[in-house]
Amino acid sequence: CHGAPMARYWMHNGLTRAESAGKVGGRTEREATEQPDADVESKISRSRGAGGLAELIALHGGERIRFFLLRTHYRSTIVFSEAGIEQAGVALESFYRFFERYKRITGDDFYQLQPTTSRADGDLPESDVPLLGEAAACRSRFLEWMDDDFNTAGATSELFELLRLMNRFVDETQLEDPQAGTEADSSSLTTVA
């Protein structure tokens, strides 16, 4: 419908339940008993015309919702709340801020970096630069989490650790100060990214 494949893989996640009570997209057992013929307006499922889901996407955007879902293992119950989606948005903003920082330092657009297509291509070179060793360890743990039954919750924690490492490196080497940063420091940052 939009001229490109939507996804290569589809996975069904665990149940989604509301933070307060019941499950998202349906009534709790108590509600069904008390009001057996009541219409459920807060339903987010396609069977109600996807009105709730469309409104959710319009309000928060798909990227925030996807990140919110990735923070929980796909087989675990997802506890849905507006606050949870807001927290996911705040977390995403920390990555966006780093992408802007990266552009200020290197002059390159982070989004134009070419991703690796295999594990071997993503291996970091041997180096005396501590950042590269720490980043390699982060990458290794990230892959372990992903190999552990596609544990995106654990893998996401490693992305935050890598983000922390890169921000610390930029601060310690003063890369945003043109007088203090060196080409070698900047190239280390580019290698990790």
Side-chain angles (χ1 to χ4, degrees):
C1 69
H2 46 72
M6 248 174 112
R8 289 186 179 178
Y9 304 99
W10 289 91
M11 294 181 70
H12 189 286
N13 62 286
L15 293 176
T16 303
R17 71 173 177 82
E19 184 177 51
S20 54
K23 67 176 186 168
V24 175
R27 296 182 289 174
T28 64
E29 192 174 311
R30 190 186 83 225
E31 289 171 330
T33 304
E34 291 173 0
Q35 303 171 343
D37 297 326
D39 198 10
V40 180
E41 289 301 320
S42 63
K43 196 168 185 180
I44 296 182
S45 69
R46 192 173 284 280
S47 63
R48 290 281 301 160
L53 181 57
E55 291 168 10
L56 188 66
I57 292 171
L59 181 63
H60 295 289
E63 199 164 62
R64 270 185 177 193
I65 295 167
R66 285 188 295 273
F67 193 68
F68 169 76
L69 295 172
L70 285 173
R71 292 172 48 175
T72 303
H73 189 277
Y74 76 94
R75 285 189 290 123
S76 299
T77 298
I78 296 170
V79 179
F80 174 83
S81 70
E82 290 289 329
I85 292 180
E86 288 296 326
Q87 288 173 352
V90 169
L92 273 175
E93 287 298 322
S94 61
F95 287 99
Y96 298 149
R97 283 191 303 275
F98 180 78
F99 299 160
E100 291 169 9
R101 193 175 202 192
Y102 178 87
K103 186 170 187 167
R104 286 192 305 270
I105 293 166
T106 66
D108 295 328
D109 186 351
F110 191 88
Y111 296 100
Q112 297 303 314
L113 292 172
Q114 293 299 311
T116 61
T117 56
S118 71
R119 279 187 187 212
D121 291 344
D123 288 342
L124 293 172
E126 294 287 327
S127 173
D128 293 337
V129 178
L131 172 67
L132 295 179
E134 292 171 306
C138 247
R139 179 181 184 273
S140 178
R141 289 188 303 267
F142 175 89
L143 292 172
E144 287 172 17
W145 282 115
M146 292 302 285
D147 287 343
D148 182 19
D149 194 24
F150 200 65
N151 190 339
T152 55
T156 300
S157 69
E158 291 304 324
L159 294 177
F160 281 104
E161 177 62 16
L162 183 61
L163 180 65
R164 186 189 67 75
L165 290 171
M166 290 190 296
N167 275 317
R168 186 187 74 204
F169 178 77
V170 170
D171 292 341
E172 287 175 354
T173 57
Q174 301 175 346
L175 285 178
E176 288 191 282
D177 178 0
Q179 309 306 323
T182 67
E183 184 66 32
D185 292 333
S186 179
S187 69
S188 295
L189 184 65
T190 302
T191 301
V192 171

